[in-house]
Amino acid sequence: AKSSKVDATLFVAEASVAQHLRIATNLPVCIVDNGGWTVKYGIVPPPAAVTKYKCNDTKRKNDREVKKSCGENSASNDNAFRHENVNDNIPMSTMYNATARPPHQLTVLAGDEITTRMKNLGQLSWNYPMERGMVCDGETQLRVWARVLEVLGVVPVPMMMGSGRMGGGGFLATMAAARRGKPSVASIDPAAGKQQVTYSSNTCAFLLLVPPFVPAVISEGVDCILFRELGIARVSRMLGACMAAVRYLSFCQSISDSTAGSDVKNRGWIDDNTKCCCVVDSGYSFTHIVPTHCGEALVKAIRRLNVGGKVLTNLLKEAVTYRQWNMMDEYHIVNDAKEQLCFVTDQFDKEMKQARATRKGLRWFDREYLLPDFVNTFQGSVRLPQPLQRKKEMEEMESIKKEMDRLNDEKEQQELVDEAKDLAKMRVEEGDVRKDKCAVNESVDQQGQKTSKIRKSKKEKKRRRHKNEKKDNDDGDMDDSGNETDEETDHQRLQRLKKMRETERKRREQESLERQALAMSVERFAIPEVLFRPSDIGLDCGGIAEAIVESIEACDTIFRAAMYHNVLLVGGNTKIPGFRDRVNLELRKLAPANYEVRVYLPEEPASYTWEGAKQFSRQPGFQERFSVDRLSWEAMKKSGKSQQEIWGKKMYNSMKNTLHN
């Protein structure tokens, strides 16, 4: 009764919007994956299905009419997971999800302006809008999203408030004044050198990827930013894990085809046709485990681990500060060192014992991170410590020596074989030939004596020439009369060039040695170990493998085997070398013996979720079924509807209904 009452009130709220005021459902879609460290964004032009089928989405009443008017076959219910090549060339861009203020300035830089205008990021005052994966600073988030729209060519048009005042205050008013007098239809992209289409925010849709279980207060604040401050026409909210699952299921279907099955890397990855996927999203602020079926999240089985990339960077920063340099204010440099050097090992205890028994600088995992000086270098680099460098050079010399010995042995063996063949031929020859051979040998001996005399004379000439050159060197630039001369012999010129090259090489080596470097040893694998053993830093919870098992065991029994068989890793932390192998190893230990464990790591796990959202947004009728327009949202808010009543069905249940209607 309660559900029917809610549906009735929602229908009344939507029906209260006049038909001529309804917003179109074939708008370009701005897809934004709002992460705690970076924001991934891109714009998808109006769906190709609108042009292909010539359908007017504003006249559609329900899903059955969509399929009927477009001529789709009701048996093809899995079109949401079909791999399409339409608009696959749509680029995805990234920028910092933060604002920064340079020292002693009032300028506020947002997103990509930080990296384009500043080189030393450590001297900036940073402000991040996200905390623990949720938007906590609306003003900062508004600036970042406004910058995203500006880069995409979308002009924000804030809603008019009751007194005729624009929402967004001075910030958006300043942006509007800056754009005054500029063309609103098209702009010239100087980088691409071609015309770029410019849209207005009241003619665009906005697909926002969010984590699960966002509090209603934060969700309502985000809606106000999008609808009122930025003036977005339509907004759609989707779980990022569900979009990654959509991409994964499309991948499984594509490799089953004959065209994609020829991929050597993915050969053998067979689609089990269960439509199940256990998504492990390990990002900057958290790690979520979200089991999905047909793209729908199983809400009761979602688990969260409060360990992400931010925790790892802070731990590494404290460890480096305690052992060597004070890096507490150099967050971005330490984060870059973490991304370049950290790895996950499946033999943590063994490596720690080996580290205790081996002198520092001689362990196989010891490295040095060269700090940038922001004069000649703006990016850190990695090098081997001096002991390991000398050891590597000795090993290379030894390998070269062995290779030379091998080649000499082969040459001697070949010479022996040739001599044996010659002897065999000599034995079968006639006796008179042997006499001739003796005469030849005598002539050869005489020739050898002459050759030895010639060699002795050559050695004597070489010795005299060397003596004269040495004398010229000692005399310096003196001519025969004892006066100075500007003439330079070839030998002197050669010696001078060699000396200059050697001096330059030593100078560069000395500069490299004098650069400040962070010595990284056991920190390389001890820091990422926190993802699998949070108890090492005092967190009373299990690691990623335990959270995956707990999440899968919370699902219905019919889904468990399929979940173990389709584990998907996405997020920035999954790019750490050895992450997938460690998850696979620990899952195999914890999972039941009769279940097969299979873990998939995409080539680009950080952008995998955004790619899935791009693919899903191109489905016919997406904007009509999964988005809320601004007028309907205002009507539902005035009628007192909660965030769960507005977004719950569209975020969690709509995808499954789409597949089975």
Side-chain angles (χ1 to χ4, degrees), residues 195-220:
Q195 199 174 30
Q196 177 185 1
V197 179
T198 302
Y199 304 98
S200 177
S201 63
N202 54 16
T203 58
C204 285
F206 197 92
L207 173 55
L208 181 63
L209 304 182
V210 297
F213 306 134
V214 177
V217 176
I218 296 178
S219 177
E220 185 175 358

Side-chain angles (χ1 to χ4, degrees), residues 499-547:
K499 188 176 181 180
M500 290 175 58
R501 284 197 294 266
E502 185 68 19
T503 304
E504 180 68 17
R505 185 183 65 82
K506 290 182 178 180
R507 185 186 65 81
R508 291 181 180 178
E509 289 182 356
Q510 186 65 23
E511 288 182 355
S512 178
L513 292 174
E514 289 176 355
R515 285 183 60 183
Q516 291 182 335
L518 295 178
M520 303 283 288
S521 184
V522 295
E523 298 90 355
R524 293 186 62 195
F525 58 87
I527 297 300
E529 188 68 17
V530 177
L531 291 168
F532 300 91
R533 298 199 300 192
S535 58
D536 291 349
I537 59 173
L539 295 180
D540 188 15
C541 60
I544 290 180
E546 289 80 3

Side-chain angles (χ1 to χ4, degrees), residues 42-272:
I43 188 167
V44 177
V50 176
T51 306
K52 181 177 180 180
Y53 296 110
K54 308 294 183 181
C55 294
N56 186 3
D57 290 338
T58 59
K59 297 181 180 180
R60 296 173 180 170
K61 300 300 181 181
N62 50 41
D63 295 341
R64 296 181 184 274
E65 292 182 0
V66 171
K67 295 180 180 181
K68 183 177 179 180
S69 61
C70 295
E72 295 179 358
N73 188 358
S74 60
S76 59
N77 292 327
D78 295 339
N79 284 336
F81 297 148
R82 289 295 179 190
H83 181 75
E84 299 179 3
N85 293 323
V86 182
N87 292 335
D88 274 349
N89 56 349
I90 298 174
M92 185 206 73
S93 304
T94 60
M95 66 170 63
Y96 281 119
N97 192 7
T99 59
R101 190 188 301 272
H104 313 298
Q105 295 185 25
L106 298 178
T107 306
V108 178
L109 306 177
D112 62 332
E113 295 176 338
I114 302 173
T115 54
T116 54
R117 298 188 185 183
M118 303 298 297
K119 296 296 184 181
N120 187 0
L121 303 181
Q123 64 181 356
L124 303 177
S125 299
W126 291 79
N127 192 13
Y128 295 92
M130 304 280 288
E131 288 291 338
R132 298 188 179 183
M134 304 172 191
V135 179
C136 297
D137 189 346
E139 182 180 358
T140 302
Q141 191 65 79
L142 171 62
R143 288 180 178 272
V144 175
W145 283 347
R147 178 58 185 169
V148 168
L149 295 180
E150 184 178 0
V151 173
L152 294 177
V154 179
V155 180
V157 182
M159 290 178 58
M160 301 298 293
M161 308 301 289
S163 60
R165 180 177 58 86
M166 271 191 177
F171 167 61
L172 289 180
T174 303
M175 291 182 60
R179 294 191 184 91
R180 194 169 298 154
K182 293 183 179 181
S184 59
V185 177
S187 61
I188 302 300
D189 186 3
K194 58 184 179 181
Q195 199 174 30
Q196 177 185 1
V197 179
T198 302
Y199 304 98
S200 177
S201 63
N202 54 16
T203 58
C204 285
F206 197 92
L207 173 55
L208 181 63
L209 304 182
V210 297
F213 306 134
V214 177
V217 176
I218 296 178
S219 177
E220 185 175 358
V222 171
D223 289 349
C224 291
I225 292 175
L226 294 175
F227 283 121
R228 293 176 178 171
E229 306 289 345
L230 296 176
I232 303 297
R234 284 186 170 274
V235 175
S236 176
R237 288 168 169 267
M238 289 294 169
L239 294 183
C242 294
M243 297 296 98
V246 169
R247 180 72 174 173
Y248 173 77
L249 295 177
S250 171
F251 160 75
C252 290
Q253 287 190 356
S254 65
I255 63 175
S256 299
D257 301 336
S258 58
T259 57
S262 59
D263 188 2
V264 177
K265 181 178 179 181
N266 298 322
R267 189 180 299 167
W269 194 273
I270 304 174
D271 183 16
D272 53 9

Side-chain angles (χ1 to χ4, degrees), residues 377-656:
T377 58
F378 299 93
Q379 186 75 18
S381 57
V382 179
R383 74 178 181 191
L384 288 173
Q386 288 298 320
L388 279 181
Q389 184 68 29
R390 289 193 295 267
K391 183 179 178 181
K392 181 181 179 182
E393 291 176 357
M394 292 178 62
E395 290 177 352
E396 290 178 353
M397 292 177 63
E398 188 67 23
S399 63
I400 293 174
K401 183 179 178 182
K402 290 181 179 179
E403 182 67 17
M404 293 294 294
D405 294 342
R406 185 184 64 81
L407 293 176
N408 291 333
D409 292 341
E410 291 181 355
K411 185 177 180 180
E412 291 178 359
Q413 292 292 335
Q414 186 65 30
E415 290 178 354
L416 292 176
V417 172
D418 294 340
E419 290 180 0
K421 291 181 179 179
D422 293 340
L423 291 174
K425 290 181 179 179
M426 291 168 59
R427 289 174 182 175
V428 298
E429 289 180 353
E430 298 178 353
D432 54 350
V433 176
R434 292 180 182 177
K435 295 179 181 179
D436 295 340
K437 186 177 181 182
C438 292
V440 170
N441 288 337
E442 291 177 359
S443 64
V444 168
D445 292 339
Q446 294 176 0
Q447 186 68 26
Q449 292 176 0
K450 293 180 181 179
T451 304
S452 62
K453 291 180 180 180
I454 294 173
R455 287 179 179 176
K456 287 180 181 180
S457 62
K458 286 184 177 180
K459 287 182 180 180
E460 184 66 21
K461 291 181 181 179
K462 186 176 180 181
R463 186 180 62 81
R464 291 176 181 175
R465 186 172 63 253
H466 181 69
K467 185 177 179 179
N468 293 333
E469 288 177 354
K470 186 176 180 182
K471 184 178 180 181
D472 292 341
N473 248 345
D474 294 339
D475 292 343
D477 298 332
M478 304 289 291
D479 59 4
D480 297 337
S481 61
N483 300 323
E484 293 186 359
T485 178
D486 294 335
E487 295 181 359
E488 185 181 28
T489 63
D490 294 340
H491 178 73
Q492 291 174 344
R493 187 182 300 109
L494 181 61
Q495 292 296 327
R496 180 174 57 83
L497 293 176
K498 287 183 178 180
K499 188 176 181 180
M500 290 175 58
R501 284 197 294 266
E502 185 68 19
T503 304
E504 180 68 17
R505 185 183 65 82
K506 290 182 178 180
R507 185 186 65 81
R508 291 181 180 178
E509 289 182 356
Q510 186 65 23
E511 288 182 355
S512 178
L513 292 174
E514 289 176 355
R515 285 183 60 183
Q516 291 182 335
L518 295 178
M520 303 283 288
S521 184
V522 295
E523 298 90 355
R524 293 186 62 195
F525 58 87
I527 297 300
E529 188 68 17
V530 177
L531 291 168
F532 300 91
R533 298 199 300 192
S535 58
D536 291 349
I537 59 173
L539 295 180
D540 188 15
C541 60
I544 290 180
E546 289 80 3
I548 295 174
V549 172
E550 182 181 349
S551 175
I552 294 177
E553 294 300 321
C555 301
D556 295 338
T557 309
I558 193 173
F559 295 128
R560 293 177 184 174
M563 292 296 178
Y564 280 113
H565 196 244
N566 296 275
V567 178
L568 172 64
L569 304 178
V570 295
N573 290 333
T574 60
K575 296 192 294 185
I576 300 177
F579 188 92
R580 176 192 173 277
D581 297 336
R582 179 68 178 273
V583 171
N584 192 17
L585 178 65
E586 295 202 1
L587 271 184
R588 183 62 276 170
K589 294 178 181 178
L590 299 175
N594 58 335
Y595 289 166
E596 182 180 354
V597 175
R598 190 174 62 168
V599 181
Y600 178 69
L601 178 64
E603 293 183 0
E604 294 294 336
S607 61
Y608 199 77
T609 300
W610 189 91
E611 294 291 340
K614 180 186 72 173
Q615 178 181 339
F616 191 77
S617 66
R618 297 201 302 261
Q619 304 306 317
F622 160 76
Q623 297 183 26
E624 184 176 19
R625 294 192 295 270
F626 299 104
S627 65
V628 176
D629 63 88
R630 182 173 62 246
L631 301 179
S632 299
W633 179 79
E634 288 286 351
M636 286 186 283
K637 295 303 291 184
K638 288 180 181 179
S639 61
K641 300 298 169 288
S642 64
Q643 290 296 111
Q644 179 64 26
E645 293 172 343
I646 296 175
W647 297 106
K649 289 184 65 177
K650 295 183 180 296
M651 287 180 59
Y652 293 98
N653 302 327
S654 296
M655 275 183 283
K656 189 172 182 179

